[in-house]
Amino acid sequence: MTLLNLCLALPALGFLLILAIPGHNHRAIRATALAVSLLVFGLSLGLAVRFDAAWPGYQFVTDVPWIPSPAIRYHVGIDGLSLWLVVLSTLLTPVGVLVSWRYIDRRVKEFYALLILMESGLIGVFVALDLFLFYVFWEVSLIPMYFLIGVWGHERRIYAAVKFFLFTMAGSVLMLAAIIYLYTQAATFDYPAILSLMAAGRLRFSPLEETLLFVGFFLAFAIKVPLFPLHTWLPDAHVEAPTAGSVILASVMLKMGTYGLLRFCLPLFPEASREHAPWIAVLAIVGIIYGALVAMVQPNMKKLVAYSSVSHLGFVVLGIFSFTRLGLDGAVYQMLNHGISTGALFVLVGFLYERRHSLEIADYGGVATPAPNLAAAFMITTLASIGLPVLNNFVGEYLVLQGTAQVNFRWTVFAAIGIILSACYMLWLYQRAFFGEARPEVRAHVSDLNPREWAAILPLIVLMVWMGTATRTFLPAIGAANARILEQTQQNVEFHVHRLAPTSGASAEVLRAR
Amino acid sequence: MLHLWLIPAFPLAGFLVNGLLGRRASKAFVNAVGVGSVVLSFLWVLKTLAALGPLETPHVERYFTWIESGDLRIGFDLVADRLSAVMMLVVTGVGLLIHVYSIGYMAHEGGYYRFFAYLNLFMFFMLVLVMAANFLLLFVGWEGVGLCSYLLIGFWFLKKSAADAGKKAFIVNRIGDFGFSLAIYLVVVHFGTLDFDAVFSAVASRPVDSGAGLLAVIGLLLLVGATGKSAQVPLYVWLPDAMEGPTPVSALIHAATMVTAGVYMTARCAPIYLHAPLAMEAVAWVGAITAFFAATIGLAQHDIKKVFAYSTISQLGYMFLGAGAGAFSAGIYHLVTHAFFKALLFLGAGSVIHALGGEQDLRKMGGLRKHTPVTFWTLLCAAVAIAGVPPFSGFHSKDAILLAAHHHSPVLYWIGVITAALTAFYVFRAIFLAFFGDYRGDPHHHPHESPPVMTVPLALLALLSLAGGYFPVPAWLAPMFPASEQGHDVLLVAISVVAGLAGIAAAWWFYVARPGLADRVAARLGVFYRLVYNKYFVDEIYAAAVVRPVVEGSDRLAWRGMDVGVIDGMVNGVAARAQRAGAVLRQIQSGNVRSYAAWVLFGAVLVIVAFGFWGGWQ
Amino acid sequence: MPVSLVPSQQELLRIAPEIILALAGTLIMVLAPFSRRRTDNRFGYISLGALLAAGAAALAADQHRGTAFHLMIEVDGFATFFRMLVLGVGLLTALVSFAYLRREQAEPGEYYALLLYSVAGQSLMAAANELIMIFIGLEISSISSYILAGYLREDLRSTEAALKYFLLGSFATAFLLYGVAWIYGMTGSTHLSEIRAALTVAAPAPSELLVAVAAAMLFAGLAFKVSAWPFQVWAPDVYQGAPAPVAAFLSAGPKAAAFAVFLRVFLTAFEPAASRWAAFVWWSALVSMTLGNLAALVQSNIKRLLAYSSIAHAGYVLVALTAHSEAGASAAMFYLAAYALMNVGAFAMVAHFSRRGERYVEVDDFAGLAVTQPAAAALFAVFLLSLIGVPPTAGFFAKFYVFKAALDADLTGLTVLGLLNSALGAYYYLRILVVMYMREPGEAAAAAPSLPASMKATLWICAVGTMLLGVWPTLILGFADRAAAMVR
Amino acid sequence: MDAVLFLVFALIAVTCAANLVVQTHPITSALSLIGVMGSLAVLYLLLGGEFIAAVQVIVYAGAIMVLFVFVIMLLNAGAERPAGRSFVARYLGVPVLVIFLGLLSYVIQSRLPASEAVRFGEFQGGAPAEVGRLLFTRYVLPFEVTSVLILVAILGAIVLGRKEL
Amino acid sequence: MNAVPLSWYLILSAVLFSLGVAGFLIRRNIITVFMSIELMLNAVNLSFVAFSYQFRQADGHIFSFFVMVVAAAEAAVGLAIILALVRTRRTLEVDEVSLLKF
């Protein structure tokens, strides 16, 4: 239990530590940031090791009062759902530090301070079990990212940063309204307590209430995910953000949305979630296909990857709103996968940018010749991203689609089109950037990976393979948590299952059997 | 435990070693690892099969749980049964020969280690494909070989056409995989498992699907997958382009092994197809149409590899025809013999190309009989085998298929026969153009025979092409599939043989006896010839009907229209509207005290009205 | 009835803060002519001392709660809270003014005296329990602020601000007074509790319509002081024109005191007629927020921007008032405290940055301040983030409590609109952040002087306070809760 | 008699007030205002406000208005120039003002107890003695506090009136 | 016809108040505007005294006394502000005091 608190507190301390270092001593700042983030990563691995996957409830729980009235508690803990997301955050922060090593050369101190501070917020989002605390962390993680984009971004950084902030803010204020309303009904912000009130039938919402509350939460999360058509902040934010910003944004921050959907929307508003699942699923599918199509025609690498995120995250949302164990497991797994593979893509694009100072695909071509290792790493990441078996994304996508198929086969059919398209845009990108004769300016500027860069990318590549093959490392804990969430959503909503069931009777059969 | 896993593991190890260390290693090391791993694998196959004996029941080995979620458990399970045994032998056997051949063929190429690493990786995935004991693992191999195909087609990635071709192969395959994966989802939804034995026994207990029932849907979706991987209509377009890859790759992947995965899968899923006549029918017709259609295109190609590529498509169509007609064992039989003679054709072609320093155009060859005798004779063996000349291997397998087809539907039989004639014609056309007449190529180039490391595999394959028909494949496979009663109708056999011989004769007439006649005929045929010559413009049609609309639509409608225009337009519109509202509101603040006072007065009246007349009256 | 003209000690104690302030003000006023040195900080120190002493006195008075001077004054938790608040604002303003006055070469003597008087007036308003007392307190506070607004009398903007403030303020006061007259006419009393009694138990009950009209005029007068719609027109001009420390003071002190009166009057005296006024307060809250935020979007002058934002913030407080509950009252109190901290901080930053004659008051002038003065920029950023309402800052909890109170009172629509407004408002605060952090340093930021000690102290106090309330809001909230419980 | 007195002085008051509004020269306006104040003092008397009537004349008309006149003279203020520029004041303010007055009149007429009538001499509580007693008992605090107000006024006049800087 | 209804006084007060407002709205000379405010205060005083009569209390008189004090203070300060303004701007036109706007 102290381990988890340490994970939360250490980055905050690191933030202060970095602030205390004189601003001109870049080396010390970087080293400190790296050390702190690695330390936190180590601690989070400790969490993973000591985590009991068989136990479905929260572990490493700390629950102390923070504010007496209204009763707000510092209540943190993790279950299988949050465990790996925490590890993901702690893993990608050192990666973010490493990729910024040369990239960030001005206002270094502020950069690393914010990066480390953000880690605290991100971890907090995933471990908070008090709705209010959750909201606080949710917002806290927003500010550093805003600055990362706005200060260290590219030309249109300000537009992107403000857009990012306002989109997210617009969603989260509605969530705040819903959270407060929930409090006025439940008289507590404590999430497990609210759930047990609901389970005991002492807290009920009228359909209208539930729908409105659901929408309040959902919009905040959907913007963060981002779900079509609320996604337009993402490409801008990604394109303008510095590498580390993009990495953290794509890998961890977007997961805040899907995590929220799964953690809060489903158990709190089971009926509304199920009732609205059809159109949400449709939006998710539209996002999958649409994101892929738009990604295909992007001339800018980061934008391409950003739109691919829209597509990938569509799978996650689809899985969540399939309300099947497979779909949920797949969705969570896909969150992690997307974190790893898209994170790696941004890392690699960042490497390219550091060499050639351009994000336009047209400025590259033939990179494989001067930088074979970079090309190989990019290839593996590309393959992971397009869902090649034995690499990570495949497992997630498979589970999601399999889960969806149990509910509505038509959804699966359309969603699976996204997998075809993902191959189109990624391979086309790869071809344009890496194949062909190397142009003189590419030859002149592009060199192969150096050890620091290897250190940043190799763990991710190893994880891609690991997660694609040894899924048992991760899935049991995730599954236990999802089983519980699913159970929570099944209270008194039996009849919806039938309504959602597909046209063919057989799958309803299967569903009932489960 | 017989450690079946070692069979794919050897090539995987080879891939890892060569991939990680190969760049700095010597060629000898790379060869040793690359070929050695396949040798080990081949030996392990032999040892395993020897240990397993007659394989009355499948031998399944379960290693670890790959994915487990809820009630669904998918293991990393390998199976050795009669079907996979055949495939293992073909894959490792032919694969080994091609590996050896590659040592010679690729000797002067850059990225040598990369080539062998990819080949090894391919072997790994192909073996996983054929040994998988469940659908998902099969899919792993399926996608994996697709990847290797992509990598190897694009091996010379400096060439745009090669990179394009690789990408095209991958994407078209993805479309097929789309169907395959949907089938997998349906299987899980309805059977709750992906293990072959469990699924098939569940299928067996179901009544035969009369119409478009569940099994028919699954069967059709699987067929979509198969058409992608095995280059059938309408997804065959990638295979001709795939000839951009090095020739050993064409031989191994795009002739002998990978492209037959669809046939293998169809045979593997025979229990499903047998319960879904509709799907069966579709398989047969897709096969027949592809066989004929591709053969016609093959008639007019000038690139030697393209000729063989269309031939491959056509022959794969044969296999599907067989499978669709219910003769799964015949399909597999043809798969095996085809592996021999088509690999040989490609390797021979490779040898020719090697001899000519990279020239692939038949019009610039000729008279090579004298320069490359070994190649000539081995190629001739392959040609007679594919032409169905008795008693060589192609004759046996093709006949089995045609008989089954006739049994199923005479129309299919006749298509098969015509295709057989066309096949004989274009193959011998290629042979005659390349080896007879006078050398028409660059006069400064002196063609030379390939080194033994290439010719020995050729010879071995020639032997197999000639005698391969005597492997008792159908009998061996018989217990796997319900016996399809096929009376041995001599007349039907005779007709097909005659057709084949007629094709050879026609080719001799056109290209040896009366050179120049072909061009005149072509000119006479006009539109039809141009249609065939341009491959029926299928690529162009696809480009115009699918690719361009999608790309343009994504660009204009989705991105610039929807994203930038509508959504961001709305967002920016709201922002702009807010700004404008702010700009209007600030006008109230005119700076004039008297107007401020008017506003205050206005406010006071408003409040009075609100408090006095509005608030409390309810 | 025999009356004693000599007040008891207890009574004196209960108005001790005002006495101290008035005496100190007078002392400064008397001493001022003897010191013509413009750089003299002594008066500043005196006023700091007086404010601290008054704070101590207010706390002491809180130990002896009760009424004084024939119910004119009621010292209760509520009064003490607002007294401490306005004293705190006065303290911070005094600190900000140290360097500012020196820089602007303005006489410090009268300035501090006026400041102390003004605070005394506000302090009286906080404790007053009777309309006439309120009126006089309000006038003391207002008249001194008119003068303070025009304190730089050579400056065109400053005098203009003073004139506008004065004319419109008096104009609104007339309405307020008219309302008081009518209330008196309806109920025969100007004492809040008696008014309430008259409205509920008196027979015959006074005409509802007349009471409503009277309440409306009172509302007009008070809403003017807190710059709520539809009486917000004066605020931008005055805040922009007034010297920055004065603007800081105006946005926090008089506003807080006016809100104290607002709460007292409408939650005690007119509580029975809530059905009549609540609907309009709803609209007033909404329009204030929206109008303030929208107009702020297009401002380029940072003082004017903060003025519009101040209108919006008044709207948020009115949301709490709309709830007319105990929770609402305490939320409003917390909000005002938080707002005082962050807004005084922000204005202090502007005061410091603007240079002599307030040359640099455009948002764009702040370009690149984060590069040239990272610490100052970070402090400013804290205030801005708090104004946006981002956790963990005081502004966040302030909004949170307000909207929680609103939801408790079933004001779902207003809550949602209010929260959307706060998202809208984020935009213009962000613009300052953007300019400060994401632009290259301009001429103004490059030459920015370093923070003088007094300014540093103010900024740090405000920032630490803002953060502290953002982490432990109970520091004040408990106080506010208990105080609010006693308003009725 | 009461009615006549009321009507006469009310008429004077309104006329003077209207004159204040329509005159463009401040001096005329100031004199009109003094007229209003004087007539109001009479009305106060009618209402029994002896003390307040006296204060009205002495303080208001006497002191405050003199101050005004003094300043007008000091600044040598002339007549306003024509062509006012406030559109809002004219076209929003004036109509609203009419509504305002109408509203108040309506409310007063319809809701105020009509029985109450003012008879001169009936109420005599407004004598200085009574007022003084109240002022030093019940209203002693406001009374004392106004001293601060006066101080502020003095201070303000000093600060703003001081010429040198 | 001897007694005047109290409401007449109040209406007179309202009329005077409105005239004061009108003066503020219409007049452009700052001093006149200020005098209009004084007129409004006078009108309020009339109300106070009238209501005081209604209750037969002297409280209303006290209020109007305080109002006068306040008016005096305001006059002093207001005129000082006007003086300061005129010194810097040389104008008494209220419409010309509009540097700060929008």
Side-chain angles (χ1 to χ4, degrees), chain A residues 290 293-294 296-297, chain B residues 546-563:
Chain A
Y290 178 88
L293 286 176
V294 177
M296 198 154 58
V297 294
Chain B
V546 181
V547 180
R548 195 152 333 129
V550 167
V551 172
E552 294 280 300
S554 305
D555 190 43
R556 301 246 173 91
L557 294 178
W559 181 31
R560 289 178 213 281
M562 185 71 189
D563 238 53

Side-chain angles (χ1 to χ4, degrees), chain A residues 125-246:
Chain A
V125 167
F126 295 129
V127 302
L129 290 178
D130 183 286
L131 285 176
F132 191 89
L133 192 64
F134 168 76
Y135 183 81
V136 169
F137 280 122
W138 175 274
E139 290 281 314
V140 165
S141 62
L142 172 66
I143 305 297
M145 182 52 85
Y146 165 71
F147 281 108
L148 289 192
I149 297 173
V151 178
W152 291 273
H154 304 142
E155 298 80 41
R156 292 180 73 223
R157 60 183 188 272
I158 292 172
Y159 172 75
V162 172
K163 198 169 174 185
F164 163 72
F165 193 98
L166 290 182
F167 261 75
T168 325
M169 185 85 185
S172 56
V173 291
L174 291 180
M175 177 165 74
L176 181 61
I179 289 178
I180 300 173
Y181 189 84
L182 211 56
Y183 177 82
T184 63
Q185 302 299 304
T188 176
F189 284 113
D190 194 72
Y191 182 60
I194 291 174
L195 284 183
S196 58
L197 280 179
M198 290 175 67
R202 285 196 287 145
L203 180 60
R204 279 189 194 288
F205 301 111
S206 71
L208 179 67
E209 268 179 321
E210 190 175 337
T211 303
L212 288 177
L213 287 174
F214 171 77
V215 168
F217 274 86
F218 178 78
L219 272 181
F221 297 143
I223 288 173
K224 203 87 174 188
V225 168
L227 191 67
F228 176 90
L230 305 169
H231 65 276
T232 54
W233 62 271
L234 185 71
D236 287 314
H238 270 315
V239 170
E240 301 305 327
T243 304
S246 291

Side-chain angles (χ1 to χ4, degrees), chain A residues 324 404-409 494-514, chain B residues 186 188-190:
Chain A
T324 58
T404 314
Q406 290 175 343
V407 189
N408 188 331
F409 192 66
E494 286 301 322
F495 67 98
H496 283 299
V497 181
H498 297 284
R499 218 173 57 191
L500 267 181
T503 39
S504 74
S507 32
E509 237 172 69
V510 173
L511 212 63
R512 236 170 280 136
R514 263 155 221 285
Chain B
L186 275 184
V188 172
V189 169
H190 294 279

Side-chain angles (χ1 to χ4, degrees), chain C residues 371-463:
Chain C
V371 177
T372 55
Q373 293 202 357
L379 290 171
F380 198 13
V382 168
F383 303 134
L384 292 171
L385 289 174
S386 181
L387 285 166
I388 295 175
V390 173
T393 57
F396 168 67
F397 271 104
K399 286 213 174 72
F400 168 74
Y401 288 128
V402 162
F403 289 117
K404 183 180 155 297
L407 276 180
D408 273 333
D410 278 336
L411 298 170
T412 316
L414 186 60
T415 304
V416 170
L417 291 169
L419 283 168
L420 284 177
N421 246 301
S422 71
L424 173 68
Y427 181 78
Y428 54 85
Y429 298 121
L430 280 186
R431 220 179 65 216
I432 306 175
L433 280 176
V434 160
V435 164
M436 218 162 51
Y437 274 88
M438 307 176 190
R439 294 256 196 90
E440 293 308 314
E443 160 216 4
S450 58
L451 289 168
S454 60
M455 195 63 82
K456 214 178 255 176
T458 322
L459 290 174
W460 275 104
I461 291 172
C462 291

